[in-house]
Amino acid sequence: MTHDVVIVGAGLAGLNAAIQLAGKVDVAIVTKVYPSRSHSGAAQGGVAAAVANLESDDTPELHMYDTIKGSDYLGDQDAIEIMVNEAPETVIEMERLGCVFSRDEEGRIAQRAFGGHSRKRSCYAADRTGHSLLHALFEQSMKHDANLTVYSEYFLLSLIYKEGVARGVVMMNILTGDIEVIRAKAVLFATGGYGRAFEITSNAFANTGDGIVAAYRQGIPLQDMECVQFHPTGLYGVGILVSEAARGEGGYLLNGKGERFMEKYAPSKMELAPRDIVSRSEQTEINEGRGINGENYVHIDLRHLGRETILERLPQIRQLGIDFLGIDCIEEPLPIQPTAHYSMGGIPVNHDCQVVVDQSGTPARGFFSAGECACVSVHGANRLGTNSLLEALVFGKRAGKAILKYVQSAEFEDVNENEEIANARKSLDDLLSSASTESANEIRTSLKETMMWKCGVFRDKEKLEQALETVLELSARYKNIRIADKGKVFNTELQEALELGNLLEFSEVIVRGALAREESRGAHFRTDFPKRDDEQWMKHTLAYKGPDGSLQFKYKPVIITRYQPEERKY
Ligand SMILES: Cc1cc2nc3c(=O)[nH]c(=O)nc-3n(C[C@H](O)[C@H](O)[C@H](O)COP(=O)(O)OP(=O)(O)OC[C@H]3O[C@@H](n4cnc5c(N)ncnc54)[C@H](O)[C@@H]3O)c2cc1C
């Protein structure tokens, strides 16, 4: 098959790129889940923009400063400036495209407080913002069905990338098990995050970092992978998210003694300090025995908000508490713990979302990336809540525009389709026909536990070295896994095995990156190096996979334009 452009991923980033292109060039979207099931649809709390409806003194400049400080000075300030400046028009545009935002009393788009934002800046649709945005974009994309082909339930296997040029993708039709190639002049990866490597996570099952690994396997570097965000309020034991909106609306965090413990850690912002700080505070309370009944959780208390506010602004959260823990937050506090939530790292890109392959920003021809799988880097070492839907929308659109320009003068490059298909077939057949006995489930469980507790909220050299040893051992065992289902039709066991291979591969990058970064910055906290070290470490990590499979690090400077690093107090 041939299309001018192939977009892998149908979340906000992929769809917002697609609608810039559809009707103008021939576009394909490849997605392993039906588009409206992309993880963007699970986003709850809102999308940030200084539209200044609720607080008239808000400006993009304040938004920029908050984001830079939130990033712990690892965010690139030029990219952040673009994002915050384009935020207000992006939100208005999404409203015009059909996103039903909640309203204030005067009928304007309502806004609420979020952690690390100095103004009420989050525009929201109750606590189903992502759902509303994703459906609006999906509906818009459907207008163009004549030149927009959606390959729904197709699984990306690899990127075709030779001599510095992306030429298409190899994918598996999940329904039939067939392997197919799409040739294209430009490829966009918008494959989302990678939280599934952790035991407790808010992420959808699909968030296994497939796109990130496909790029890495072609020698493209991965940036800042060690920066993984833990969200402070995951439902205890299951990790499902209780949006920060719950604290934005006034929810309290309480320890086992009934204390609002954030007083000790962030006296001015309290529960609305950035997520890295709140997660560490919570984990400290738990580790020091002040969890509820000494257990691994604390409480979020929403009862004082009252039934009406909860039903109007946080209805989904209430339902999740009832469905997963049997607790109604109108009546009782919810047990919560930090949950792996967001991937700050990813495929390095420039402001037009073109992938860059080295420290000097050399672009990969025809290869673009946007959304959570990309690293522009607007979030640095810690993302502020509601900045990620914004990033996916702003940079998805920019990617679409840049690709449109690129394909006008690009050609289809040679692809040996038969060879690509034969290679992919062989590796799947090898996996299916293996006579070994290793269990993928055991490997996955062990990986997730290791990443959560040895490479999680608190890290140190000893734990990270243990984590690395385990990841390498599991990767060796993975080569001998047994897949019981030998069938072709909807072989979810095979798909999960491929995803596990990806989880293992990028987990090694995370752990090695975390070992190398001997400082604490944003979400990356080393108890053996508890201070931020701007002299040595105000730089981005680039991890390369060499031809022999070994991993090599290079570093590139952070772009500072307006705000010099300062101590981060909240
Ligand atoms: C529970 C939750 C709540 C959140 N709430 C907020 C919030 O309130 N505000 C905010 O700003 N951010 C929030 N976030 C973060 C935000 O939702 C995401 O970062 C953002 O939606 C990512 O969008 P995306 O387009 O990059 O990827 P996604 O929406 O994750 O889409 C990824 C796409 O890639 C496709 N894909 C992946 N792998 C393959 C493959 N191998 N083959 C084919 N297709 C593939 C998937 O099918 C999917 O279509 C939240 C995240 C979670 C998990």
Side-chain angles (χ1 to χ4, degrees):
M1 278 127 9
T2 303
H3 297 278
D4 292 322
V5 182
V6 57
I7 297 173
V8 187
L12 292 192
L15 289 177
N16 214 19
I19 64 172
Q20 314 306 317
L21 292 156
K24 301 180 180 117
V25 289
D26 174 16
V27 187
I29 298 182
V30 174
T31 171
K32 68 177 175 180
V33 299
Y34 189 72
S36 58
R37 303 193 70 84
S38 301
H39 189 62
S40 290
Q44 302 173 349
V47 48
V51 289
N53 286 351
L54 240 74
E55 288 181 283
S56 58
D57 65 343
D58 196 12
T59 59
E61 175 140 12
L62 282 173
H63 189 183
M64 177 175 174
Y65 174 74
D66 293 342
T67 302
I68 293 167
K69 185 175 170 191
S71 83
D72 219 351
Y73 299 91
L74 194 70
D76 284 337
Q77 300 188 4
D78 51 351
I80 294 172
E81 190 161 4
I82 290 174
M83 181 177 79
V84 298
N85 282 338
E86 292 183 12
E89 66 192 55
T90 300
V91 165
I92 307 288
E93 186 182 10
M94 286 311 302
E95 180 182 47
R96 294 190 178 146
L97 290 179
C99 174
V100 194
F101 285 107
S102 296
R103 300 277 142 189
D104 69 5
E105 271 144 28
E106 290 168 44
R108 298 169 303 193
I109 293 175
Q111 295 189 282
R112 59 163 64 119
F114 250 76
H117 290 280
S118 58
R119 298 290 184 281
K120 289 185 176 160
R121 189 176 287 145
S122 161
C123 306
Y124 60 93
D127 57 358
R128 302 189 184 98
T129 313
H131 181 92
S132 190
L133 290 168
L134 185 66
H135 279 260
L137 281 181
F138 187 38
E139 285 164 13
Q140 292 295 330
S141 76
M142 285 196 286
K143 286 200 305 206
H144 299 285
D145 57 359
N147 31 29
L148 180 71
T149 312
V150 180
Y151 294 88
S152 185
E153 299 187 328
Y154 277 71
F155 186 90
L156 167 81
L157 294 171
S158 58
L159 167 71
I160 308 175
Y161 180 77
K162 289 197 172 72
E163 291 144 11
V165 192
R167 297 147 190 254
V169 295
V170 183
M171 56 190 193
M172 178 178 75
N173 180 339
I174 299 173
L175 176 63
T176 61
D178 291 341
I179 293 172
E180 298 174 27
V181 164
I182 295 182
R183 290 179 61 199
K185 295 179 186 172
V187 178
L188 171 67
F189 274 12
T191 50
Y194 50 78
R196 294 305 300 183
F198 295 83
E199 183 186 352
I200 303 291
T201 178
S202 67
N203 277 203
F205 279 84
N207 289 15
T208 49
D210 307 342
I212 287 170
V213 173
Y216 179 63
R217 286 183 183 147
Q218 294 298 332
I220 308 251
L222 299 181
Q223 183 170 325
D224 297 338
M225 292 287 286
E226 64 274 22
C227 299
V228 179
Q229 174 165 81
F230 287 80
H231 191 295
T233 56
L235 286 180
Y236 176 54
V238 283
I240 290 172
L241 193 72
V242 174
S243 168
E244 200 165 299
R247 283 169 286 137
E249 296 291 350
Y252 300 152
L253 295 179
L254 301 172
N255 65 14
K257 294 176 153 178
E259 296 162 339
R260 274 182 81 185
F261 56 85
M262 284 310 298
E263 248 160 29
K264 285 185 282 187
Y265 303 96
S268 75
K269 285 283 180 187
M270 297 288 288
E271 282 87 355
L272 288 176
R275 291 175 178 171
D276 56 334
I277 296 175
V278 183
S279 287
R280 279 195 292 278
S281 310
E282 220 173 272
Q283 197 62 48
T284 304
E285 293 295 303
I286 292 171
N287 292 352
E288 293 178 359
R290 291 185 298 279
I292 308 296
N293 303 322
E295 301 279 338
N296 272 339
Y297 64 90
V298 293
H299 272 149
I300 183 162
D301 196 348
L302 304 177
R303 291 173 296 183
H304 55 285
L305 303 181
R307 185 182 188 87
E308 210 175 306
T309 303
I310 292 177
L311 290 183
E312 187 197 317
R313 303 213 187 135
L314 305 168
Q316 182 180 209
I317 288 170
R318 172 174 180 250
Q319 200 57 45
L320 289 170
I322 294 173
D323 290 345
F324 287 90
L325 298 181
I327 296 174
D328 183 348
C329 64
I330 294 176
E331 315 279 343
E332 282 176 75
L334 288 170
I336 46 117
Q337 71 183 126
T339 184
H341 183 59
Y342 186 80
S343 325
M344 268 79 71
I347 306 169
V349 291
N350 64 24
H351 299 166
D352 286 329
C353 304
Q354 192 162 8
V355 174
V356 294
V357 297
D358 57 23
Q359 293 124 307
S360 43
T362 307
R365 278 174 50 214
F367 189 30
F368 297 78
S369 182
E372 192 169 338
C373 69
C375 185
V376 219
S377 133
V378 285
H379 310 302
N382 176 64
R383 166 174 82 85
L384 292 188
T386 68
N387 266 350
S388 154
L389 293 179
L390 177 63
E391 180 203 359
L393 289 171
V394 166
F395 287 95
K397 182 173 180 181
R398 290 179 76 88
K401 288 187 158 169
I403 291 172
L404 186 59
K405 215 164 141 198
Y406 177 84
V407 293
Q408 308 296 340
S409 58
E411 302 290 330
F412 286 101
E413 304 279 345
D414 290 343
V415 172
N416 185 339
E417 284 193 33
N418 291 338
E419 187 183 282
E420 295 290 344
I421 291 175
N423 287 345
R425 185 76 268 161
K426 181 170 183 319
S427 57
L428 293 196
D429 286 347
D430 286 351
L431 207 55
L432 284 168
S433 62
S434 159
S436 312
T437 52
E438 287 288 358
S439 148
N441 284 345
E442 277 173 25
I443 295 176
R444 188 183 306 104
T445 306
S446 173
L447 175 73
K448 286 162 80 79
E449 275 171 17
T450 303
M451 292 301 285
M452 186 76 200
W453 303 111
K454 303 258 156 85
C455 187
V457 176
F458 289 114
R459 303 164 168 180
D460 64 40
K461 185 163 189 268
E462 196 187 329
K463 281 198 274 183
L464 288 169
E465 279 174 348
Q466 290 167 1
L468 182 59
E469 200 181 319
T470 309
V471 171
L472 294 178
E473 183 203 310
L474 295 173
S475 302
R477 283 173 57 192
Y478 174 78
K479 297 200 172 90
N480 299 317
I481 56 168
R482 181 184 137 75
I483 295 176
D485 181 356
K486 309 289 182 198
K488 279 190 137 193
V489 175
F490 242 91
N491 189 339
T492 49
E493 194 185 353
L494 173 64
Q495 184 185 331
E496 284 170 12
L498 294 170
E499 291 170 338
L500 174 59
N502 293 336
L503 296 178
L504 287 162
E505 189 142 357
F506 72 72
S507 291
E508 182 187 342
V509 183
I510 296 177
V511 176
R512 285 196 196 268
L515 258 173
R517 189 176 277 280
E518 295 188 330
E519 66 154 355
S520 290
R521 186 182 294 272
H524 169 70
F525 195 91
R526 292 274 305 252
T527 50
D528 45 354
F529 296 96
K531 292 249 170 339
R532 192 176 81 201
D533 178 356
D534 290 336
E535 287 280 295
Q536 296 280 338
W537 285 104
M538 206 166 63
K539 57 188 180 188
H540 296 292
T541 308
L542 291 177
Y544 289 82
K545 186 183 173 91
D548 60 347
S550 68
L551 194 158
Q552 199 199 346
F553 286 117
K554 293 182 184 166
Y555 293 91
K556 69 175 182 186
V558 175
I559 295 171
I560 307 273
T561 55
R562 308 250 299 270
Y563 298 100
Q564 289 304 317
E566 48 186 59
E567 200 189 339
R568 210 156 147 256
K569 279 211 171 112
Y570 287 96

